[in-house]
Each structure stands twice: as C-alpha cells, then as structure tokens.
Amino acid sequence: MTQGRRDGHAAGPIPWMEGLRRLLRRMGIPVRRVFALKGALCFEIDSADGRVLTLWVRPRDDRGGHDITTEHYSYQYSDKEDIQPDDLEALDLLVKVLIHLEPRLPTDWVSEGSAPDVGISFAAEDAFDPRIAADRIEKAAGNVTVPIVLQVPTTSNLDAWFLGRMSTLKDRLTLRVPLDELDTSSRVAELDASMAASTTFGLRIECVFRITRESLEHAGDLVHCAEKLKARPGHMVSLVLEHPDPEDDEPGPDGPISISELMKRLPAEVRRRMDISIRSYAGHPLCLFNDALRLLVVEGKHWDGAPVSGARFGPECDVCALKTMCPGVSEPYAVKFGFDELTPFEAAGGRVGRIEQASWDQKLKWLLTGRPDIQLTLGDIIPEDRLPELPCTRPWTRLELHDEGTYGPCCSDYLVGHHRAPKGSTPTDLWKSEMFRAIRREMLSGIHPASCRSECPVLLAGNETPARLTLRGGPPQAVENQIKLVRALLDGDTTPDITPATLCVSVTSFCNHDCLMCNCGEKGTLDDQRPAAFYRDLQPWLDRGLEIDANGGEPLASPVFREFVEQLAASNRPAILSIITNGSFLRPGWLAGLDHIPFRFIVVSLNAASPQTYEAVNRGTPWKRIRANLDALLKLRGTGRFSGGIVYSMVILRRNVHEIRDFVDLAIRDGVDVRFMLPFYDRNGQSIMTSRETMSEARTALEETALRLDALGRIRWALDARTNARILEKRLTEGVLEPL
C-alpha cells in the first residue's frame, strides 16, 4: 500500500499557522487550512454548500484589486461574486479577527517562495455545472502555478467538452471523487464511463474513501474497487483512504480510529496493494505505516503527505534509531490515543542520523521483521551494480520435488538430464546435495549453466537475478534466514547454512481432468500422494519462512494435502501456500469452512476463454461449475477473506491459440493476473511447436498481449508473455518445428 503523498505539499503546517487555525475553529469559523504561498497567507474555509472558499492576505498593496486594506495588509476574497450570505458573514468575521491579530502575526510567510506550493480545491455542488467549474479552474490556474484539485460528486456527468477543455491543465489538475462509505463497489461502477472518458483526456482521478469506524465495516469492498481501478490505462486513477485527525472527526460510534486498529481491520490484501494509498491527517509514524518506512529506507525520502498538526513522540521513541527521520503523530491524535502503539526501531550503533549510514542487513531487519505485508526485491536495498552477475538465484532459493521422483532447483522440463532423488532421502538431504552445489558453481561461472536448457523462460526473461530476488516480511527467524541467503549470494557461497525460500512439490500425479496436453488424467494415481509425515517434517523449514508451491496432478485431489491446508487455515501462520489447480476443488462450501484461506497465490489452469473451448481442452469438470467456483473465490477476495493473488493460466495449444486475446479480456474482467505457457511434448497432436503457422499466430497474439499488460501496469506478466513470444520467434527464425 502506498503513501498518500501529494506533490508539492509540506510534511506538516508551520506550528503557529496550525495554532491559528485551531483558534479560528474554536470561534466557529470553519477554517480548513492555513498556509503560506508565494508571499501570501491563505485561509481555506468550508462553505455551507460544500465548496472551499479562499481568503488571501498579503502585505499592503496600494495598486487596488483588494476587498479590504489596512495599514499593514490587504485582504482579498476569491470568487466573491459567488459567495453566499452565510459564507460572507463567516469571511467577514475571519477578516475582523485577523485585523485584530495583525500586530501579533509572525512575518515568516512574507518572503517570496518561503512556503511550498499547495493544491487548490473546488468542491462542486450536486448540480454540477461543467462550464462554471471550468471558468473557476482556469481563473485559478492563471493566478498560481500549483496543483489544482477539483472535487466532483459521484453522480457528475463529466462531458467531453469539459474534459477536453481541462486537458490543457492535465499536468496540474486532479479530479477528486468521494466514494460512498457504504457502497464503494457500486460507486465505482457508476463512475465507469466518466473515469474512462477522463483518462482518455489524460486527466488524473483520485477516488477517496474516508475512514471511520462505520466505513471500515465495508473495507472488503475496497479490494473489488481497486481491481476495477487497476484496469485503467496509464495508472491515471488512484484509490486513497483518507484517515482524519481526531479533531476533525465525528464523535460516537462513527468517530476516530487509531492507526493500529485501522491496520488491523483493513484486509491484508488492501494493506499490501501498491495501488491503494493512505492519506493520514493524524501522522505517519514509521513503526505503524509500512510504506512510510519503505519510502525512507529504500528511497531515502521523507514522507511529505497530508498536513499534520505538529509531530509528537512517546517516551519509547527516545531510543528509536529512526526518530530524527520519523513524522510522528499529530497532537490531537496523541491526546486521543496516546503513544502505546509506537514501537522503537533498534540498531547496534544507536540512533541513525542519515539513512545512508545503515547497512543493508540492518535495513532489511527494520523493513521485514514482524511485517508480513512488506515485500521488496534485493535490488531495492543493494544497487544492481553491487550485486553478483548471476543468471539465476534459484539454486540458492528453491527446491523442487517432481512427480517422477526427480529433484532440482527448477522444473524438470528445463533441466538437462534428470536427477533422481536417492531412496530414503529427505528434503534437507537433497538441498545439501552435491547436485545443488554443482549447479551453484555453474551459476557463479557467469556463462549459461550447462545444467539448464537454452529455452528456459526464467533465464531468458531474467526473472530470477539477484536484483529481482523477492524478500518478504515475517518473524525474526524468517528474516534472519533471508539475510543469510543474501550473504551467501554476495559471497558466492555454494554450501550456505540456509533453508530454501520455496519448496515446490508435486503433491500427487493424480488428476480428475484429462486435459488435451497432459497425461496426469490418464496415468496419474493417488497412490503416490505425499504422506502426512512429509508435511509434519517441514515444520523447521516453515518456522524459517519456507513457502510451498503445490502442483500435480491436481494437488487438492489429495485428501492428505487438503487436510494440511485445513491445518494451516486453522493456525495463525500467514499465507505460505501457492497452488496450481484446475479449480474443481475450490468449492464454495470448502472455502467458506476455512478459518482463513492460507494461499498466497492461486493459479487456475483454465486454458480457455470460452465454455466451449474450456470443455474441449480440460475435459473434466463442466465450465458452469468451474465458473461458480471462481465467482466464490472472487467474492471471498472482495470481502477481504482471501488476501492472496489469483492468476488464470493458459497452456497454448492448437485448440485454444485463437483465444489468447480473449483470455486476457477474461482475466481483466475478473480482476486477476494472467500467464501463458508453451506446451511440452505433443499429446493428442496439440503442440503449436510443430506448426510454423500456429507458432506465428501465437507469437503475434503474445506480443500484443505484452503491450496491453504493460499499459495496465502488469509488468511481470507482460514480461512472461514477451518471453514466450521470443522463444517462438527464435524457433521460427531457426526453422525448428518439433515439440519442446
């Protein structure tokens, strides 16, 4: 989840300005903000009809054009002709108070450029008039060179005339849309046409969900909402959760909520998403906001988001290594909630003056320990030019147990030769075997490893280089294991004292489908399913952060594995499972019965975009039942009960190659990711690799798909599609017409 930073805003208001704002509010003047801008003092006031009125105070200027001039200052109302009588009364009272306070006003705002730029907000009425709004915006744009925010009601019809006229300000203008607190999904659907039109003209849209105790009851809707917004081209639409300062919130059951309670009640999927940001007016302490911490530690930048009324810290913060770089909490927040939720960051050398002084391993401890929602790459912490040039890190991170009794660091289809596991060997024995040491030495040589086939998509895409190594937050043992892993990579250690980050295991060869391209349905059997003891023996590795990738066959066809899943669901352990499944066992009743769904990723092998092609390729469970299972899973994600990722997978065959583009459409409609795989062998004559025409058709569709996924920000899956297109292009160029 990203921070709600707004370009050009200060980390907090100047203290005396915030004190003045509070004084004026206590007098009944609805002052929203006080700030300095280019030699002027600006007061924003909430009007009775929802608009934002502005009073400008400048050093006395006798050239005219002002509403009131005193011995020292000139006062000017913005849009005076549109001010209602009640609002004019409030503005007049404000001016009288300020005139009385003139002798005591500080003058640190008078210097040109002494304060940062700020946005100008227009709160539109329900009867939104695009022409009036356009005139006001252009008038404001002519006076200042700062970001402009237009707040529009969700029912507004932003017509092409208005959007086209505003497109000249697209570098400065943001359209802010408040979402209904109780029904965010329907609000997003209602705005669909307007948002599509706005992004066509290059205008940014910010959908704002105000956080209160009551609105958090519907926080599950935010996942669905974010998925809808993620489909917008060019990342022009953002979803912002607005966390108010206690002073500005309503008392009672819908009153303020603490930051720690907010993070606890937000679904994990919402907390982890990078396309959802929080704009907190109560402060952004590093220990409570993961992305404020990440911004500092990874990018070396300080949070500069919503204005906060003075930074406050608790007694425990005195020993925090990062206190001098922490935004703290606001004074009203500290009064309301205290400091008990603030926890200090420790460092062996005490307080850190600059983040650059911290070592890479200290940074990882701060970022990852006890923070399961954080995920980053090693390249975020150590510059790529300081990392070893390894083509692949899997020999240090991954152990795969294949269904034919072989093993290795990756898929057996892309290894040269088959390495059979010795009888009676344990996963630990295999991980420490000479075969793994040999492949690590090959990776360190700097040339293409002899153990790996030339068409390995992981090597071709560069998906598993040190810079792209994924590191995840978790308990101290798991973080320490990852730090040891990084040291092993930096040192070129081929016998590291670490456990693998991932165990990829074939649960059983049995499958209840008989897919055109796979023989598991024909030859698989449950007789080879992993016994319960196998999963029990993984406990030490699980404690050190092991994640399990389960495949088959159909892994959920194994009763033993399903019981293991149910045990994980009943525990407090974070999601550590990823699974490749045909989806037939993801039944609504079974999913609903799990205490929580312990899958980090669910990859569903659909292989088709239409019911007809699905049933022709997968040959098993009817499409109608699979669609019902998918809808149940998507609903659980929408309510926040499932916080993992969903991927629809297609093995490209002669029978389904014509649906590659439609398959992407299906994934986008469902708000999931999409991957494509090239077929191995030529079962049922379905391999596209034996036909120049079919390979060419698939290559073209994959290249178009990659461009489309790039535009949607789905970089990983765009790279996946582009790599498969490269493999097909290479075969077409070399004239290779044979199965993989």
Side-chain angles (χ1 to χ4, degrees):
M1 186 163 56
T2 58
Q3 297 298 38
R5 291 189 292 157
R6 296 164 59 188
D7 293 341
H9 281 264
I14 297 173
W16 73 261
M17 295 183 189
E18 178 59 23
L20 178 57
R21 184 186 76 89
R22 293 178 183 281
L23 170 65
L24 296 170
R25 287 183 69 90
R26 286 197 296 270
M27 297 179 67
I29 305 173
V31 178
R32 170 184 290 195
R33 242 178 349 148
V34 181
F35 56 88
L37 175 63
K38 298 192 180 300
L41 193 60
C42 179
F43 295 80
E44 286 186 352
I45 302 173
D46 293 320
S47 71
D49 58 9
R51 293 181 296 126
V52 177
L53 306 176
T54 307
L55 173 71
W56 298 91
V57 184
R58 295 179 175 88
R60 179 177 175 134
D61 184 349
D62 293 326
R63 289 175 294 180
H66 301 97
D67 296 299
I68 298 173
T69 299
T70 66
E71 181 180 355
H72 299 290
Y73 297 104
S74 297
Y75 297 79
Q76 182 179 4
Y77 303 144
S78 62
D79 300 319
K80 184 174 182 180
E81 63 275 10
D82 297 319
I83 298 175
Q84 301 300 314
D86 289 347
D87 297 324
L88 187 58
E89 183 179 335
L91 282 168
D92 287 342
L93 176 59
L94 171 61
V95 171
K96 290 178 181 178
V97 172
L98 292 176
I99 291 174
H100 178 73
L101 294 174
E102 278 185 7
R104 288 180 284 173
L105 280 180
T107 58
D108 55 356
W109 52 275
V110 172
S111 301
E112 180 74 15
S114 63
D117 289 351
V118 295
I120 299 175
S121 297
F122 293 83
E125 303 173 22
D126 288 341
F128 178 69
D129 188 325
R131 284 167 174 75
I132 293 177
D135 289 340
R136 287 179 176 172
I137 291 169
E138 289 177 344
K139 180 180 178 181
N143 293 330
V144 293
T145 59
V146 296
I148 301 172
V149 177
L150 172 65
Q151 182 167 309
V152 296
T154 54
T155 54
S156 294
N157 178 20
L158 301 176
D159 58 30
W161 176 88
F162 172 78
L163 297 172
R165 186 169 164 182
M166 291 297 96
S167 64
T168 59
L169 296 171
K170 63 184 179 182
D171 293 334
R172 297 167 55 194
L173 178 63
T174 297
L175 305 180
R176 179 174 297 160
V177 183
L179 292 176
D180 189 305
E181 296 176 347
L182 304 181
D183 196 0
T184 54
S185 301
S186 66
R187 287 301 191 190
V188 173
E190 178 184 327
L191 280 166
D192 195 66
S194 294
M195 289 199 296
S198 300
T199 54
T200 298
F201 283 95
L203 295 173
R204 291 184 297 272
I205 298 178
E206 182 180 275
C207 297
V208 179
F209 178 88
R210 185 174 173 83
I211 295 171
T212 63
R213 292 184 180 277
E214 183 179 355
S215 68
L216 272 180
E217 296 295 331
H218 307 272
D221 284 340
L222 294 168
V223 180
H224 172 76
C225 180
E227 288 298 338
K228 289 283 291 183
L229 298 178
K230 191 167 70 170
R232 299 291 166 193
H235 313 289
M236 299 301 292
V237 182
S238 60
L239 175 59
V240 177
L241 311 185
E242 193 170 79
H243 181 230
D245 204 12
E247 181 200 52
D248 299 326
D249 215 335
E250 297 294 330
D254 198 29
I257 186 171
S258 70
I259 298 171
S260 56
E261 184 179 354
L262 165 63
M263 294 303 180
K264 181 179 180 180
R265 291 179 59 184
L266 280 177
E269 170 73 355
V270 174
R271 296 196 306 269
R272 280 200 292 263
R273 293 185 72 104
M274 298 300 290
D275 54 355
I276 300 178
S277 63
I278 288 186
R279 178 181 298 142
S280 176
Y281 292 87
H284 271 74
L286 298 176
C287 55
L288 296 180
F289 283 93
N290 285 344
D291 282 355
L293 177 65
R294 179 176 180 142
L295 183 71
L296 174 68
V297 176
V298 174
E299 300 182 38
K301 298 178 181 178
H302 295 273
W303 176 82
D304 60 348
V308 175
S309 59
R312 296 291 183 270
F313 301 91
E316 295 289 328
C317 299
D318 289 341
V319 298
C320 178
L322 302 179
K323 180 182 177 181
T324 59
M325 294 169 276
C326 182
V329 296
S330 71
E331 182 178 2
Y333 184 89
V335 171
K336 176 71 176 179
F337 296 107
F339 301 107
D340 289 347
E341 60 190 342
L342 304 183
T343 55
F345 292 95
E346 298 178 357
R351 184 169 296 173
V352 176
R354 293 184 300 110
I355 199 64
E356 295 81 5
Q357 296 173 337
S359 61
W360 65 263
D361 53 337
Q362 181 63 75
K363 290 180 179 179
L364 286 181
K365 289 180 181 179
W366 287 336
L367 283 165
L368 302 180
T369 304
R371 301 176 187 276
D373 295 331
I374 285 190
Q375 175 177 308
L376 64 152
T377 65
L378 182 55
D380 291 330
I381 299 298
I382 302 178
E384 189 169 1
D385 59 4
R386 290 172 48 195
L387 293 170
E389 295 184 5
L390 299 177
C392 182
T393 58
R394 284 195 174 186
W396 284 266
T397 65
R398 186 176 180 91
L399 169 63
E400 292 207 11
L401 306 179
H402 311 134
D403 59 10
E404 63 268 30
T406 60
Y407 75 105
C410 62
C411 171
S412 62
D413 293 320
Y414 286 113
L415 287 173
V416 174
H418 295 283
H419 306 275
R420 188 161 295 280
K423 187 176 181 179
S425 58
T426 67
T428 299
D429 297 332
L430 302 178
W431 179 243
K432 295 182 176 181
S433 67
E434 173 56 30
M435 189 273 283
F436 261 87
R437 292 195 292 272
I439 295 182
R440 290 170 189 146
R441 288 194 293 269
E442 290 178 8
M443 290 294 173
L444 290 168
S445 70
I447 61 176
H448 186 92
S451 299
C452 305
R453 294 182 59 172
S454 62
E455 292 178 323
C456 171
V458 173
L459 286 177
L460 289 175
N463 281 335
E464 304 281 350
T465 60
R468 292 185 174 179
L469 174 66
T470 298
L471 303 168
R472 294 191 174 95
Q477 274 186 288
V479 175
E480 186 59 37
N481 189 65
Q482 293 178 90
I483 289 174
K484 288 182 178 180
L485 161 63
V486 174
R487 286 201 184 103
L489 293 174
L490 294 175
D491 297 342
D493 188 354
T494 60
T495 58
D497 182 22
I498 57 176
T499 58
T502 305
L503 173 66
C504 181
V505 55
S506 176
V507 171
T508 177
S509 64
F510 174 80
C511 186
N512 57 330
H513 286 193
D514 183 23
C515 298
L516 285 176
M517 65 289 187
C518 177
N519 66 5
C520 287
E522 176 187 354
K523 298 181 178 180
T525 172
L526 276 175
D527 292 342
D528 62 4
Q529 67 177 316
R530 305 279 175 180
F534 172 83
Y535 302 107
R536 286 197 301 271
D537 292 344
L538 294 178
Q539 188 62 46
W541 280 7
L542 292 174
D543 291 340
R544 289 193 285 274
L546 177 75
E547 295 184 4
I548 299 175
D549 284 358
N551 58 39
E554 170 51 48
L556 289 173
S558 165
V560 178
F561 180 70
R562 287 202 306 275
E563 184 178 354
F564 175 62
V565 172
E566 291 162 3
Q567 290 170 353
L568 287 175
S571 71
N572 292 322
R573 191 184 296 274
I576 53 99
L577 287 176
S578 294
I579 188 171
I580 301 175
T581 173
N582 60 35
S584 61
F585 285 87
L586 297 175
R587 297 167 184 142
W590 183 69
L591 292 173
L594 300 176
D595 292 339
H596 80 95
I597 301 175
F599 295 111
R600 181 177 289 275
F601 263 100
I602 297 178
V603 180
V604 186
S605 298
L606 288 182
N607 303 308
S610 68
Q612 297 78 16
T613 302
Y614 172 83
E615 294 185 356
V617 172
N618 286 33
R619 302 194 300 187
T621 307
W623 168 254
K624 185 176 181 180
R625 189 183 306 166
I626 292 295
R627 183 69 256 184
N629 289 355
L630 294 177
D631 289 341
L633 182 62
L634 294 171
K635 183 177 180 180
L636 289 171
R637 185 186 62 177
T639 61
R641 282 208 62 227
F642 172 53
S643 59
I646 303 173
V647 182
Y648 290 170
S649 177
M650 172 187 275
V651 178
I652 303 173
L653 308 172
R654 291 173 181 257
R655 183 64 180 82
N656 64 13
V657 66
H658 64 287
E659 291 193 353
I660 289 177
R661 297 173 184 84
D662 292 339
F663 195 65
V664 176
D665 289 338
L666 172 64
I668 291 174
R669 282 197 306 271
D670 284 0
V672 304
D673 288 311
V674 59
R675 77 168 188 180
F676 295 93
M677 299 178 67
L678 300 177
F680 281 91
Y681 314 113
D682 190 23
R683 188 170 189 255
N684 293 309
Q686 283 297 308
S687 177
I688 64 170
M689 314 302 284
T690 59
S691 164
R692 173 174 291 274
E693 180 182 14
T694 313
M695 279 199 292
S696 180
E697 180 183 357
R699 178 203 58 192
T700 300
L702 287 170
E703 288 171 345
E704 292 177 9
T705 289
L707 291 173
R708 189 175 179 193
L709 293 173
D710 271 334
L712 294 173
R714 305 186 181 193
I715 306 303
R716 172 184 175 185
W717 305 108
L719 181 62
D720 172 78
R722 191 169 286 114
T723 300
N724 284 318
R726 284 174 55 197
I727 293 173
L728 293 174
E729 176 63 28
K730 183 174 183 288
R731 286 206 160 208
L732 288 167
T733 301
E734 296 175 352
V736 178
L737 299 176
E738 60 185 40
L740 282 171

